[in-house]
Amino acid sequence: MLSAVFIYNQKGEVLISRLYRHDVKRSVADVFRVHVISSPTSVVRSPVTTLGSTSFYHIRYDNLWLCAVTKNNASAAMVFEFLYRLLGLGVSYFGRFDEESVKNNFVLIYELLDEVLDFGYPQNIEVDTLKLYVTTESVRSTRGALQSDALATIPQSITMQATGTTTWRRNDIVYKKNEAFVDVIESVNLIMSAKGTVLRADVQGQIVMRSFLSGMPECKFGLNDKLVLDRDPNSAGNTQLGRRQGGMGGFGDGESVEIADCQFHQCVRLGRFDTDRTISFIPPDGEFELMRYRTTENVNLPFKVLPVVREMGKTRIEYEVLIKSNFSAKLSATNMAVTIPTPPNATKCRIKVTGAGAGKAKYHPEENAIVWRISRFQGLQELALTAVVDLAPMTKPTPWSRPPIGLDFQVLMFTASGLLVRFLKVFEKSNYQSVKWVRYMTKAGSYEIRI
């Protein structure tokens, strides 16, 4: 497996050097610095560099290089997963992971490297588990409220958590009020032609959960997945979850969604999901990402943009941009920005916006664009922008490439995929009552309309 792990700064100086096997020498750090970090080539480098029989796997973060060295035929996916988990471990401990934090905490980093790798094989990299026995002053001070009798039981709980099946959660967690918050966050991507034809539309979503539950609860999570509802049509729309704000008028209740490319947190029992599409898990304490997904069918576009751009000779361009919102009138989009491109030789813009709450539009010459900002865009509403752009003469006229119009927005309590949380059930041996909340949000990914 891994023979060594190195951390470099942007100059190529070795900040952390840890050897795990005798098949490499410490001088191998200079090989990576010379051939990769200090290489004069300006092309994009591969994250994997093989020199002779030695392979170097590296990632870059801020002003640091993290490099893993091996002489074996190791799984590249596992090596990179380890490097990114190591990076997340540093961010969790120090708040940020840069050259200064590495120099200030090098003793702790060496201690962590001894815990997470044994003879080059990755071990337990769970942050919550490591913080129980690999501590800093700040972490130790937050646990100052623990009583001496509780401290005496920590070594036993560490052993159980590190060697048990639920390494991501302790079994002695207690809350006065048991709550679970679920956020369904979707990014909608769109490429639309100048004639209004949808060339590409897909939704990339994630479900983030914040768990404040006592003990070792067993959670069952249900979505309006098409495969599930085809088996049990009577279960559609059955949900008893609280809503943190707004209504649910943004999506069609009872409609099924075809979910593709699911990725789950390690706490999810994949066998149950493959059998009956039930998401069953024991949640980690606090915030975590439960799953990621992607949909490409029946995407509900929150906005329709109708642009008309007319080039009036070589001295002027006229714009007419109409935007319609396609979600419920009870909902509204916030922090909306529409970027309308202009030619690089534009000199002056006369802009007018119409409609209730149409916001403000301003020409930004440094961006070669008109930026139209709307603080709140109500559902089922239409807003329009008209502009006249004067052009300066050019010595060598070149045709304008016409970049696409871009949208940025957020819509609460609306999902472009139509995904709906049907239920979230919590089972625990003490049979306590828990409160569950769900919130939906759709935001713009790459939302572009060609002109």
Side-chain angles (χ1 to χ4, degrees):
M1 198 44 209
L2 299 185
S3 300
V5 172
F6 300 105
I7 300 179
Y8 304 81
N9 63 10
Q10 59 186 356
K11 297 179 181 179
E13 299 171 345
V14 180
L15 303 178
I16 299 293
S17 172
R18 181 67 173 89
L19 302 182
Y20 293 96
R21 293 170 177 254
H22 299 293
D23 54 355
V24 296
K25 298 181 180 179
R26 203 169 299 275
S27 59
V28 76
D30 298 329
V31 177
F32 179 78
R33 175 180 56 81
V34 172
H35 287 83
V36 178
I37 299 178
S38 302
S39 176
T41 58
S42 59
V43 297
V44 177
R45 302 182 181 92
S46 169
V48 182
T49 303
T50 302
L51 300 173
S53 60
T54 307
S55 297
F56 300 86
Y57 301 80
H58 75 271
I59 62 174
R60 292 197 64 180
Y61 180 79
D62 203 350
N63 56 356
L64 296 178
W65 296 72
L66 279 71
C67 176
V69 184
T70 181
K71 281 184 171 291
N72 300 321
N73 186 19
S75 169
M78 186 171 66
V79 175
F80 286 116
E81 175 69 15
F82 168 77
L83 290 176
Y84 280 108
R85 294 286 289 274
L86 181 63
L87 177 62
L89 194 62
V91 173
S92 177
Y93 266 91
F94 316 130
R96 57 179 184 175
F97 200 63
D98 54 12
E99 182 177 356
E100 182 182 358
S101 62
V102 170
K103 289 181 177 179
N104 293 338
N105 300 277
F106 70 94
V107 174
L108 175 60
I109 293 176
Y110 276 112
E111 189 175 353
L112 288 172
L113 287 175
D114 287 338
E115 294 292 342
V116 299
L117 282 176
D118 185 8
F119 198 57
Y121 289 95
Q123 304 299 309
N124 192 349
I125 319 180
E126 287 297 326
V127 177
D128 293 337
T129 304
L130 290 171
K131 281 188 175 181
L132 289 175
Y133 55 94
V134 182
T135 61
T136 61
E137 288 298 327
S138 59
V139 175
R140 191 175 297 115
S141 64
T142 60
R143 300 184 180 275
L146 291 174
Q147 302 296 326
S148 58
D149 56 345
L151 289 172
T153 63
I154 284 182
Q156 182 180 0
S157 64
I158 290 172
T159 304
M160 293 177 60
Q161 186 176 354
T163 59
T165 57
T166 56
T167 59
W168 54 86
R169 184 181 179 90
R170 307 194 320 271
N171 58 3
D172 57 350
I173 300 173
V174 177
Y175 288 100
K176 290 183 179 180
K177 186 177 181 180
N178 295 283
E179 293 181 303
F181 299 87
V182 178
D183 287 332
V184 180
I185 304 171
E186 294 189 343
S187 297
V188 56
N189 304 308
L190 170 71
I191 298 179
M192 182 175 288
S193 69
K195 297 181 180 179
T197 304
V198 176
L199 304 178
R200 170 203 167 196
D202 65 84
V203 175
Q204 295 180 346
Q206 60 177 159
I207 298 179
V208 179
M209 184 173 177
R210 285 187 295 156
S211 166
F212 304 102
L213 302 172
S214 305
M216 296 290 284
E218 174 82 18
C219 297
K220 289 187 178 180
F221 194 80
L223 303 170
N224 57 336
D225 190 352
K226 186 176 185 207
L227 293 180
V228 176
L229 298 186
D230 286 347
R231 297 174 186 171
D232 186 10
N234 296 325
S235 64
N238 178 22
T239 176
Q240 297 178 353
L241 296 177
R243 298 162 188 171
R244 274 184 270 175
Q245 52 178 300
M248 303 291 288
F251 33 119
D253 297 340
E255 296 183 358
S256 60
V257 177
E258 188 172 350
I259 304 174
D261 298 339
C262 295
Q263 300 178 19
F264 294 100
H265 188 274
Q266 63 174 338
C267 66
V268 176
R269 295 183 174 89
L270 297 180
R272 293 285 302 274
F273 182 77
D274 293 336
T275 303
D276 55 9
R277 307 290 284 190
T278 299
I279 303 174
S280 177
F281 59 96
I282 297 177
D285 187 43
E287 183 174 332
F288 67 100
E289 184 181 80
L290 179 63
M291 67 175 289
R292 286 178 176 265
Y293 61 91
R294 186 173 67 92
T295 62
T296 57
E297 302 293 334
N298 302 320
V299 177
N300 302 318
L301 299 177
F303 292 98
K304 185 176 182 180
V305 182
L306 303 174
V308 177
V309 180
R310 293 186 291 266
E311 298 188 29
M312 313 299 291
K314 298 180 180 180
T315 60
R316 192 178 64 181
I317 294 181
E318 295 181 353
Y319 293 84
E320 293 180 7
V321 180
L322 179 65
I323 303 179
K324 300 179 180 180
S325 55
N326 297 328
F327 44 87
S328 169
K330 299 179 181 179
L331 309 179
S332 61
T334 57
N335 301 324
M336 185 168 178
V338 184
T339 304
I340 305 170
T342 60
N345 61 327
T347 58
K348 185 179 179 181
C349 292
R350 297 180 293 278
I351 308 170
K352 181 182 179 182
V353 293
T354 56
K360 296 181 180 180
K362 184 179 179 181
Y363 171 58
H364 292 261
E366 70 279 3
E367 300 179 11
N368 290 326
I370 298 171
V371 179
W372 183 11
R373 300 189 182 278
I374 307 167
S375 59
R376 183 175 295 274
F377 199 125
Q378 206 65 31
L380 300 180
Q381 186 182 14
E382 293 185 7
L383 299 179
L385 177 144
T386 57
V388 178
V389 179
D390 296 331
L391 306 178
M394 302 175 65
T395 55
K396 293 182 180 180
T398 56
W400 183 33
S401 60
R402 291 195 172 213
I405 295 175
L407 267 69
D408 188 20
F409 55 83
Q410 290 183 354
V411 185
L412 285 177
M413 305 311 294
F414 172 83
T415 55
S417 66
L419 189 75
L420 180 65
V421 178
R422 294 193 296 117
F423 63 85
L424 173 59
K425 299 178 181 178
V426 178
F427 305 95
E428 215 275 336
K429 60 183 180 180
S430 60
N431 292 325
Y432 58 70
Q433 295 295 321
S434 59
V435 181
K436 284 87 71 175
W437 303 89
V438 64
R439 180 177 65 176
Y440 303 86
M441 184 178 72
T442 294
K443 59 183 180 179
S446 175
Y447 206 95
E448 297 180 345
I449 297 90
R450 296 176 179 174
I451 58 177

